[in-house]
Amino acid sequence: MTITAPSAPRTTEPRPVAQPPRPRRRGSVGYPRYVPYALLLPTIALFAAFTVFPYISALWQSFTTNTDGEAVFSGLANYTRLFQDPLFYTALWNTFVILIVQVPIMLALAIVLAVAFNSVLLKFRALWRTLYFVPIVMGLVAYGILFSALFNSQDGFVNQLLGYIGIGPVPWLTDPFWAKISIVLAMTWHYTGQSAIIYLAQLQAIPTELYEAASVDGANARKQFWHVTLPGLRPAIVLTVILSTIGTLQLFDEPFVITNGGPLNATLTVGMYLYQNGFQYFDFGYASAIGYVLTLIIGVISLIQFRLFREKS
């Protein structure tokens, strides 16, 4: 009798799993390294032609003066003239006055509107948001003409309304003080809705749990606004303050269309003064110097604002 050893159990080997194809390395066949740069080349060329070159050309022109129809290198003559020009300081002062008055008023109104837009108690919220955002869609020249007609001292609609309540005609566009007020009112009407929408987007990102926790701790609506809403709006406030400051320092359209810089240069801004020297007197060297000094002022103020807000946060 022969005893045979039991045969080993048959094992089934697992089938090999198909491996996904390896991605091609950059620089390998079919994906040359220069492809991304070739795709970016048209954008780089347009940026260099219409942004970099004008900046460099304007910088060169700021060191030249027009002599017998030719640009002649004059060193720092334009900058020396600029810092001795009383009209430039008048334009700079007017610009800062409008900045200091208009920007805080506009941003405060925008915060109030954003809180109202975000309230569940407001009916037809989408309609109100649209209505307050519509002014930003209107062209700058169009709304400038509109406000010049509204503030007309003779037969303007605003003076007609004031006459109904017994207030005499206000010299909106013929008095230096009221001319500045008309520019501030026009800009506030035009830009408040845009800032309000930015604040509204930031408000909707604030967690509702913070308001619930504040309510449990006994905070009323006013304390919730100061200790929850405003800190939550800080990133949007930083953005709108810097953008509004830059836009106001470059102010041109409103005083040009509404008051034409008058009366008595009361609404002449740095942007208007640059335009006058460049495109009315054709003194491009001096206009370029004004532009670069304005750029330096904007850069310094924006940097100070950014650092102040960052330190507070």
Side-chain angles (χ1 to χ4, degrees), residues 4-22:
T4 59
S7 61
R10 183 177 298 178
T11 59
T12 58
E13 297 181 356
R15 297 180 180 179
V17 180
Q19 298 294 330
R22 296 181 179 179

PDB file of all heavy atoms in Angstrom, residues 4-22:
ATOM      1  N   THR A   4       0.342   8.378  -0.755  1.00  0.00           N
ATOM      2  CA  THR A   4       0.742   9.569  -1.549  1.00  0.00           C
ATOM      3  C   THR A   4       0.488  10.826  -0.719  1.00  0.00           C
ATOM      4  O   THR A   4      -0.523  10.944   0.005  1.00  0.00           O
ATOM      5  CB  THR A   4      -0.061   9.630  -2.844  1.00  0.00           C
ATOM      6  OG1 THR A   4      -1.449   9.701  -2.536  1.00  0.00           O
ATOM      7  CG2 THR A   4       0.215   8.399  -3.703  1.00  0.00           C
ATOM      8  N   ALA A   5       1.420  11.722  -0.829  1.00  0.00           N
ATOM      9  CA  ALA A   5       1.270  12.999  -0.091  1.00  0.00           C
ATOM     10  C   ALA A   5       0.135  13.817  -0.699  1.00  0.00           C
ATOM     11  O   ALA A   5      -0.067  13.814  -1.916  1.00  0.00           O
ATOM     12  CB  ALA A   5       2.587  13.775  -0.159  1.00  0.00           C
ATOM     13  N   PRO A   6      -0.611  14.468   0.189  1.00  0.00           N
ATOM     14  CA  PRO A   6      -1.708  15.299  -0.359  1.00  0.00           C
ATOM     15  C   PRO A   6      -1.156  16.426  -1.212  1.00  0.00           C
ATOM     16  O   PRO A   6      -0.124  17.015  -0.879  1.00  0.00           O
ATOM     17  CB  PRO A   6      -2.418  15.809   0.898  1.00  0.00           C
ATOM     18  CG  PRO A   6      -1.386  15.735   1.984  1.00  0.00           C
ATOM     19  CD  PRO A   6      -0.522  14.559   1.656  1.00  0.00           C
ATOM     20  N   SER A   7      -1.827  16.651  -2.276  1.00  0.00           N
ATOM     21  CA  SER A   7      -1.377  17.732  -3.182  1.00  0.00           C
ATOM     22  C   SER A   7      -1.649  19.085  -2.557  1.00  0.00           C
ATOM     23  O   SER A   7      -2.643  19.279  -1.832  1.00  0.00           O
ATOM     24  CB  SER A   7      -2.104  17.600  -4.533  1.00  0.00           C
ATOM     25  OG  SER A   7      -3.503  17.716  -4.342  1.00  0.00           O
ATOM     26  N   ALA A   8      -0.785  20.010  -2.813  1.00  0.00           N
ATOM     27  CA  ALA A   8      -0.932  21.379  -2.274  1.00  0.00           C
ATOM     28  C   ALA A   8      -2.129  22.047  -2.917  1.00  0.00           C
ATOM     29  O   ALA A   8      -2.449  21.813  -4.088  1.00  0.00           O
ATOM     30  CB  ALA A   8       0.343  22.179  -2.546  1.00  0.00           C
ATOM     31  N   PRO A   9      -2.842  22.839  -2.111  1.00  0.00           N
ATOM     32  CA  PRO A   9      -4.004  23.544  -2.697  1.00  0.00           C
ATOM     33  C   PRO A   9      -3.577  24.488  -3.803  1.00  0.00           C
ATOM     34  O   PRO A   9      -2.529  25.142  -3.726  1.00  0.00           O
ATOM     35  CB  PRO A   9      -4.598  24.286  -1.502  1.00  0.00           C
ATOM     36  CG  PRO A   9      -3.470  24.420  -0.525  1.00  0.00           C
ATOM     37  CD  PRO A   9      -2.628  23.196  -0.705  1.00  0.00           C
ATOM     38  N   ARG A  10      -4.411  24.495  -4.824  1.00  0.00           N
ATOM     39  CA  ARG A  10      -4.111  25.343  -5.979  1.00  0.00           C
ATOM     40  C   ARG A  10      -4.402  26.813  -5.617  1.00  0.00           C
ATOM     41  O   ARG A  10      -5.501  27.136  -5.136  1.00  0.00           O
ATOM     42  CB  ARG A  10      -4.952  24.928  -7.169  1.00  0.00           C
ATOM     43  CG  ARG A  10      -4.648  25.719  -8.437  1.00  0.00           C
ATOM     44  CD  ARG A  10      -5.480  25.194  -9.590  1.00  0.00           C
ATOM     45  NE  ARG A  10      -5.128  23.782  -9.850  1.00  0.00           N
ATOM     46  CZ  ARG A  10      -5.739  23.051 -10.787  1.00  0.00           C
ATOM     47  NH1 ARG A  10      -6.727  23.584 -11.500  1.00  0.00           N
ATOM     48  NH2 ARG A  10      -5.365  21.793 -10.972  1.00  0.00           N
ATOM     49  N   THR A  11      -3.427  27.645  -5.809  1.00  0.00           N
ATOM     50  CA  THR A  11      -3.589  29.091  -5.529  1.00  0.00           C
ATOM     51  C   THR A  11      -3.746  29.836  -6.829  1.00  0.00           C
ATOM     52  O   THR A  11      -3.093  29.531  -7.824  1.00  0.00           O
ATOM     53  CB  THR A  11      -2.363  29.622  -4.769  1.00  0.00           C
ATOM     54  OG1 THR A  11      -1.190  29.398  -5.549  1.00  0.00           O
ATOM     55  CG2 THR A  11      -2.226  28.904  -3.406  1.00  0.00           C
ATOM     56  N   THR A  12      -4.620  30.796  -6.740  1.00  0.00           N
ATOM     57  CA  THR A  12      -4.839  31.646  -7.931  1.00  0.00           C
ATOM     58  C   THR A  12      -4.076  32.942  -7.735  1.00  0.00           C
ATOM     59  O   THR A  12      -4.254  33.669  -6.742  1.00  0.00           O
ATOM     60  CB  THR A  12      -6.334  31.945  -8.104  1.00  0.00           C
ATOM     61  OG1 THR A  12      -6.815  32.578  -6.917  1.00  0.00           O
ATOM     62  CG2 THR A  12      -7.115  30.655  -8.348  1.00  0.00           C
ATOM     63  N   GLU A  13      -3.207  33.203  -8.627  1.00  0.00           N
ATOM     64  CA  GLU A  13      -2.414  34.435  -8.543  1.00  0.00           C
ATOM     65  C   GLU A  13      -3.282  35.636  -8.968  1.00  0.00           C
ATOM     66  O   GLU A  13      -4.076  35.539  -9.913  1.00  0.00           O
ATOM     67  CB  GLU A  13      -1.191  34.325  -9.449  1.00  0.00           C
ATOM     68  CG  GLU A  13      -0.241  33.216  -9.022  1.00  0.00           C
ATOM     69  CD  GLU A  13       0.963  33.165  -9.937  1.00  0.00           C
ATOM     70  OE1 GLU A  13       0.977  33.950 -10.914  1.00  0.00           O
ATOM     71  OE2 GLU A  13       1.861  32.352  -9.675  1.00  0.00           O
ATOM     72  N   PRO A  14      -3.139  36.741  -8.239  1.00  0.00           N
ATOM     73  CA  PRO A  14      -3.925  37.939  -8.620  1.00  0.00           C
ATOM     74  C   PRO A  14      -3.498  38.478  -9.976  1.00  0.00           C
ATOM     75  O   PRO A  14      -2.310  38.436 -10.337  1.00  0.00           O
ATOM     76  CB  PRO A  14      -3.610  38.944  -7.496  1.00  0.00           C
ATOM     77  CG  PRO A  14      -2.296  38.497  -6.947  1.00  0.00           C
ATOM     78  CD  PRO A  14      -2.272  36.992  -7.083  1.00  0.00           C
ATOM     79  N   ARG A  15      -4.481  38.935 -10.671  1.00  0.00           N
ATOM     80  CA  ARG A  15      -4.174  39.509 -11.986  1.00  0.00           C
ATOM     81  C   ARG A  15      -3.470  40.855 -11.834  1.00  0.00           C
ATOM     82  O   ARG A  15      -3.788  41.628 -10.927  1.00  0.00           O
ATOM     83  CB  ARG A  15      -5.452  39.686 -12.788  1.00  0.00           C
ATOM     84  CG  ARG A  15      -6.159  38.377 -13.103  1.00  0.00           C
ATOM     85  CD  ARG A  15      -7.402  38.651 -13.904  1.00  0.00           C
ATOM     86  NE  ARG A  15      -8.100  37.391 -14.215  1.00  0.00           N
ATOM     87  CZ  ARG A  15      -9.237  37.351 -14.903  1.00  0.00           C
ATOM     88  NH1 ARG A  15      -9.793  38.491 -15.333  1.00  0.00           N
ATOM     89  NH2 ARG A  15      -9.799  36.178 -15.154  1.00  0.00           N
ATOM     90  N   PRO A  16      -2.534  41.102 -12.689  1.00  0.00           N
ATOM     91  CA  PRO A  16      -1.846  42.416 -12.594  1.00  0.00           C
ATOM     92  C   PRO A  16      -2.811  43.551 -12.922  1.00  0.00           C
ATOM     93  O   PRO A  16      -3.613  43.469 -13.838  1.00  0.00           O
ATOM     94  CB  PRO A  16      -0.731  42.303 -13.644  1.00  0.00           C
ATOM     95  CG  PRO A  16      -1.214  41.251 -14.591  1.00  0.00           C
ATOM     96  CD  PRO A  16      -2.001  40.268 -13.770  1.00  0.00           C
ATOM     97  N   VAL A  17      -2.744  44.586 -12.081  1.00  0.00           N
ATOM     98  CA  VAL A  17      -3.605  45.767 -12.268  1.00  0.00           C
ATOM     99  C   VAL A  17      -2.938  46.716 -13.254  1.00  0.00           C
ATOM    100  O   VAL A  17      -1.742  47.008 -13.143  1.00  0.00           O
ATOM    101  CB  VAL A  17      -3.859  46.471 -10.920  1.00  0.00           C
ATOM    102  CG1 VAL A  17      -4.757  47.688 -11.119  1.00  0.00           C
ATOM    103  CG2 VAL A  17      -4.489  45.482  -9.942  1.00  0.00           C
ATOM    104  N   ALA A  18      -3.741  47.174 -14.175  1.00  0.00           N
ATOM    105  CA  ALA A  18      -3.192  48.100 -15.178  1.00  0.00           C
ATOM    106  C   ALA A  18      -2.813  49.423 -14.522  1.00  0.00           C
ATOM    107  O   ALA A  18      -3.611  50.014 -13.786  1.00  0.00           O
ATOM    108  CB  ALA A  18      -4.222  48.352 -16.298  1.00  0.00           C
ATOM    109  N   GLN A  19      -1.598  49.848 -14.733  1.00  0.00           N
ATOM    110  CA  GLN A  19      -1.125  51.107 -14.167  1.00  0.00           C
ATOM    111  C   GLN A  19      -1.537  52.271 -15.075  1.00  0.00           C
ATOM    112  O   GLN A  19      -1.483  52.162 -16.295  1.00  0.00           O
ATOM    113  CB  GLN A  19       0.412  51.090 -14.017  1.00  0.00           C
ATOM    114  CG  GLN A  19       0.909  50.016 -13.080  1.00  0.00           C
ATOM    115  CD  GLN A  19       0.465  50.281 -11.653  1.00  0.00           C
ATOM    116  OE1 GLN A  19       0.302  51.433 -11.251  1.00  0.00           O
ATOM    117  NE2 GLN A  19       0.263  49.202 -10.890  1.00  0.00           N
ATOM    118  N   PRO A  20      -1.960  53.397 -14.439  1.00  0.00           N
ATOM    119  CA  PRO A  20      -2.302  54.564 -15.276  1.00  0.00           C
ATOM    120  C   PRO A  20      -1.062  55.102 -15.961  1.00  0.00           C
ATOM    121  O   PRO A  20       0.058  54.960 -15.450  1.00  0.00           O
ATOM    122  CB  PRO A  20      -2.861  55.569 -14.256  1.00  0.00           C
ATOM    123  CG  PRO A  20      -2.242  55.173 -12.956  1.00  0.00           C
ATOM    124  CD  PRO A  20      -2.105  53.678 -13.019  1.00  0.00           C
ATOM    125  N   PRO A  21      -1.240  55.686 -17.109  1.00  0.00           N
ATOM    126  CA  PRO A  21      -0.061  56.218 -17.820  1.00  0.00           C
ATOM    127  C   PRO A  21       0.582  57.343 -17.033  1.00  0.00           C
ATOM    128  O   PRO A  21      -0.099  58.162 -16.412  1.00  0.00           O
ATOM    129  CB  PRO A  21      -0.667  56.738 -19.142  1.00  0.00           C
ATOM    130  CG  PRO A  21      -2.113  56.972 -18.834  1.00  0.00           C
ATOM    131  CD  PRO A  21      -2.483  55.941 -17.835  1.00  0.00           C
ATOM    132  N   ARG A  22       1.884  57.306 -17.011  1.00  0.00           N
ATOM    133  CA  ARG A  22       2.620  58.353 -16.303  1.00  0.00           C
ATOM    134  C   ARG A  22       2.532  59.666 -17.073  1.00  0.00           C
ATOM    135  O   ARG A  22       2.612  59.670 -18.293  1.00  0.00           O
ATOM    136  CB  ARG A  22       4.086  57.954 -16.145  1.00  0.00           C
ATOM    137  CG  ARG A  22       4.281  56.725 -15.268  1.00  0.00           C
ATOM    138  CD  ARG A  22       5.754  56.427 -15.141  1.00  0.00           C
ATOM    139  NE  ARG A  22       5.972  55.265 -14.285  1.00  0.00           N
ATOM    140  CZ  ARG A  22       7.170  54.779 -14.019  1.00  0.00           C
ATOM    141  NH1 ARG A  22       8.262  55.362 -14.558  1.00  0.00           N
ATOM    142  NH2 ARG A  22       7.291  53.725 -13.231  1.00  0.00           N
TER     143      ARG A  22
END
